[in-house]
Amino acid sequence: MNTRFSKIIIALATFFIATTLLQGQKQQTQDGEKFQWFGDAKLGIFIHWGIYAVNGIDESWSFYNGYISHKDYLKQTERFTAANYDPDYWAGLIKKSGAKYAVITSKHHDGFALWNTKYGDLNAVKSSAAKRDVLSPFVKALRKNKLKVGLYYSLPDWSYNDYTHFTRNERRYDIKNEPERWNRFVNYYQGQLTELMSSYKPDLIWFDGDWEHSGEEWKAKETRDLLHHYQPNVIINSRLRGHGDYDTPEQGVPIARPKSEYWELCMTMNDSWGYQHNDKNYKTANQLIRIFVDCLNLGGNLLLDIGPKADGTIPEEQVKILEEFGRWTHKHKEAIYASNAGLPFGHYYGPTTLSKDLQTLYLFVPHRPNGPLIIKGLKNKINRIRVVGTGTKLSHQILSKQYWSSVPGLTYINLPEGELDDQMTVVAVQLKGKIDLYREDGQVIESN
Ligand code: GLC
């Protein structure tokens, strides 16, 4: 090969590699930008609103599991009035709680749609006492309050005649025997998604129920492309058979940090997603705030659920919890929004977060301390320590630092009783430079 020719080849190859790398980088930053609002949001409100609120029974599952006949279940449509529904109040309350987005059940597994879909008649307009589209005004109210719009959409539709599953014990058909029928269902559900995407341009789609079929059967990849066609920046939760963007653990707070970069715990305030008048097993605001902080500590979001009644009012217990969240999140906003996951276990007895620039460490104090707070293994010098929300400066002491050892001393912080928040106090430790932790095993005394 002559040298000129090989130079051309090398130049071309370099150009090719450089452009591919650049494209990769661009893709990454675009993705980073796309997820930024979600990563920074930290708190979202989940809303399960549907006909199941009428009797106060399990959403969809009550007929699927045979506790009520399908016919009686559907009778609830007659008393789904939305008579006192005030979407502006809903959105205002969500905003006040400190949440940055909401995810509402546009359609649950029972197939009852909150909007005026032209696919089928089982919806708030054509077959409920409300006789109107109850989704559009809520989406509008969210936008007015500058909240991001998330739509929950159940892939299974147990009421639809061309869907395979009807109840736990009854299947309508098998896809291999009636592929045409299944295709009709896929067109139906993708048609509904097209309506949602084109009318609302949601920021997030929250799928559910993907476990009933494989990715190929759902045509999951095609569905993902369809959503992106209408809204290139839409974020999709994990329940689309491997075609989603972020993980959604449910009810149980993860103990170790989940592997995916973005994740969100969804959780009920009592034991039910939808409104159930008999369910008074509410967690307290304090318990829920602790759960929220556990999510922050591991770098995730909390999607906290409410279940409005059939007339559109939000149960009083739920309003109170949202208001208490509002007080607490407002006071401690700097430690919450856009924060990074906190310290690995071992450095502090409790949850922590870090500011975006990694120069402020936030210590959450879940209990009344009976002595100073302690940080172990912190190499940074400390510029200032203060109470978040009040600004009170706190004194600290570094003990057990040996001049000959690289092991940092123990940082003791005095937190006076009068500074404690009713729910959870937060202390900001302003560091000199980015957080720098000692992560080794310790050192023996070689000289004294
Ligand atoms: C489960 C249930 C469903 C509920 C959802 C919320 O998947 O099937 O009823 O809406 O959890 O995450």
Side-chain angles (χ1 to χ4, degrees):
M1 203 166 25
N2 73 39
T3 41
R4 201 155 150 226
F5 183 65
S6 54
K7 269 187 191 154
I8 293 173
I9 298 275
I10 291 168
L12 279 175
T14 318
F15 175 74
F16 178 75
I17 292 168
T19 45
T20 327
L21 280 177
L22 265 176
Q23 269 167 5
Q25 245 172 30
K26 204 165 147 210
Q27 187 59 39
Q28 253 178 25
T29 42
Q30 272 173 356
D31 267 12
E33 282 163 25
K34 168 173 152 177
F35 288 107
Q36 180 147 9
W37 74 261
F38 183 73
D40 290 353
K42 300 298 173 191
L43 182 65
I45 300 299
F46 212 176
I47 304 167
H48 276 69
W49 196 33
I51 56 173
Y52 37 84
V54 169
N55 291 1
I57 50 178
D58 279 348
E59 65 291 339
S60 314
W61 293 100
S62 47
F63 81 83
Y64 186 84
N65 287 330
Y67 297 119
I68 183 173
S69 71
H70 184 240
K71 192 161 158 252
D72 287 342
Y73 181 90
L74 286 188
K75 275 207 182 118
Q76 295 178 104
T77 50
E78 293 162 18
R79 284 181 297 138
F80 184 79
T81 63
N84 298 310
Y85 172 45
D86 183 349
D88 287 313
Y89 170 73
W90 282 24
L93 182 65
I94 291 169
K95 175 117 191 164
K96 223 165 102 188
S97 76
K100 303 293 181 192
Y101 63 108
V103 179
I104 184 168
T105 47
S106 65
K107 185 179 99 166
H108 205 261
H109 315 322
D110 60 12
F112 179 78
L114 296 186
W115 80 101
N116 191 13
T117 175
K118 55 178 203 299
Y119 293 85
D121 288 340
L122 188 53
N123 62 64
V125 186
K126 293 188 200 101
S127 52
S128 90
K131 288 198 169 54
R132 64 188 199 278
D133 167 2
V134 289
L135 182 59
S136 303
F138 180 59
V139 171
K140 224 164 145 190
L142 287 178
R143 297 262 183 238
K144 213 163 71 194
N145 282 279
K146 303 218 164 10
L147 293 164
K148 297 283 183 187
V149 174
L151 300 178
Y152 167 109
Y153 182 84
S154 165
L155 292 163
D157 186 328
W158 296 329
S159 296
Y160 198 69
N161 196 38
D162 285 328
Y163 187 66
T164 46
H165 298 48
F166 178 45
T167 66
R168 190 167 290 283
N169 302 319
E170 226 182 306
R171 297 278 176 279
R172 294 191 179 87
Y173 67 99
D174 198 324
I175 299 181
K176 2 183 236 312
N177 302 332
E178 298 183 60
E180 281 312 307
R181 192 169 175 190
W182 177 251
N183 280 340
R184 281 206 296 277
F185 174 74
V186 172
N187 289 337
Y188 158 79
Y189 101 72
Q190 290 184 337
Q192 285 198 325
L193 282 174
T194 305
E195 287 181 335
L196 291 175
M197 293 309 294
S198 56
S199 339
Y200 305 118
K201 297 258 179 298
D203 303 288
L204 190 153
I205 289 282
W206 212 102
F207 285 113
D208 198 14
D210 63 344
W211 56 80
E212 286 194 346
H213 288 285
S214 66
E216 290 88 76
E217 286 169 345
W218 291 121
K219 300 199 179 148
K221 163 85 174 67
E222 200 178 90
T223 297
R224 182 179 167 90
D225 292 345
L226 180 141
L227 304 193
H228 284 147
H229 171 76
Y230 287 95
Q231 215 325 15
N233 283 331
V234 72
I235 296 178
I236 305 168
N237 77 333
S238 55
R239 302 185 190 180
L240 185 60
R241 284 289 191 194
H243 292 275
D245 298 316
Y246 72 92
D247 277 355
T248 49
E250 185 167 328
Q251 298 289 27
V253 186
I255 302 300
R257 191 175 173 173
K259 292 204 178 45
S260 71
E261 188 176 354
Y262 299 97
W263 63 272
E264 168 198 76
L265 169 75
C266 55
M267 158 122 338
T268 52
M269 290 182 175
N270 49 7
D271 293 326
S272 318
W273 296 103
Y275 174 64
Q276 298 205 18
H277 47 274
N278 287 327
D279 185 353
K280 297 286 178 200
N281 200 22
Y282 280 94
K283 289 172 272 294
T284 62
N286 183 270
Q287 286 165 331
L288 289 164
I289 287 172
R290 284 174 184 225
I291 289 170
F292 176 40
V293 171
D294 283 342
C295 294
L296 298 176
N297 177 45
L298 297 176
N301 291 7
L302 173 68
L303 185 63
L304 182 62
D305 184 67
I306 59 170
K309 299 181 186 177
D311 72 350
T313 52
I314 301 175
E316 205 186 322
E317 296 92 332
Q318 304 183 5
V319 172
K320 286 216 174 105
I321 289 170
L322 291 183
E323 284 175 348
E324 188 51 14
F325 258 76
R327 183 198 67 78
W328 190 84
T329 52
H330 185 74
K331 179 175 170 190
H332 301 107
K333 50 183 174 298
E334 64 159 284
I336 301 171
Y337 305 108
S339 64
N340 279 307
L343 306 179
F345 292 112
H347 292 276
Y348 170 69
Y349 298 132
T352 54
T353 58
L354 283 160
S355 60
K356 203 147 228 183
D357 66 3
L358 304 178
Q359 299 195 24
T360 305
L361 165 67
Y362 295 100
L363 308 174
F364 293 78
V365 188
H367 307 284
R368 294 195 159 262
N370 61 0
L373 311 178
I374 312 167
I375 311 172
K376 288 171 272 182
L378 179 67
K379 287 189 182 168
N380 306 69
K381 291 231 155 42
I382 291 171
N383 284 343
R384 165 174 293 179
I385 304 183
R386 60 187 163 79
V387 177
V388 176
T390 67
T392 308
K393 293 190 197 85
L394 300 179
S395 61
H396 75 282
Q397 230 182 339
I398 298 189
L399 296 178
S400 211
K401 171 68 193 144
Q402 312 299 330
Y403 76 90
W404 47 263
S405 166
S406 62
V407 184
L410 303 167
T411 309
Y412 287 93
I413 303 167
N414 299 308
L415 177 61
E417 180 82 24
E419 287 299 326
L420 296 181
D421 182 85
D422 284 346
Q423 303 295 357
M424 205 190 295
T425 318
V426 186
V427 170
V429 182
Q430 292 174 208
L431 307 168
K432 189 156 188 278
K434 287 188 183 166
I435 184 120
D436 189 9
L437 296 173
Y438 175 80
R439 302 285 298 156
E440 290 147 49
D441 295 347
Q443 222 175 322
V444 281
I445 302 176
E446 287 166 1
S447 113
N448 213 328

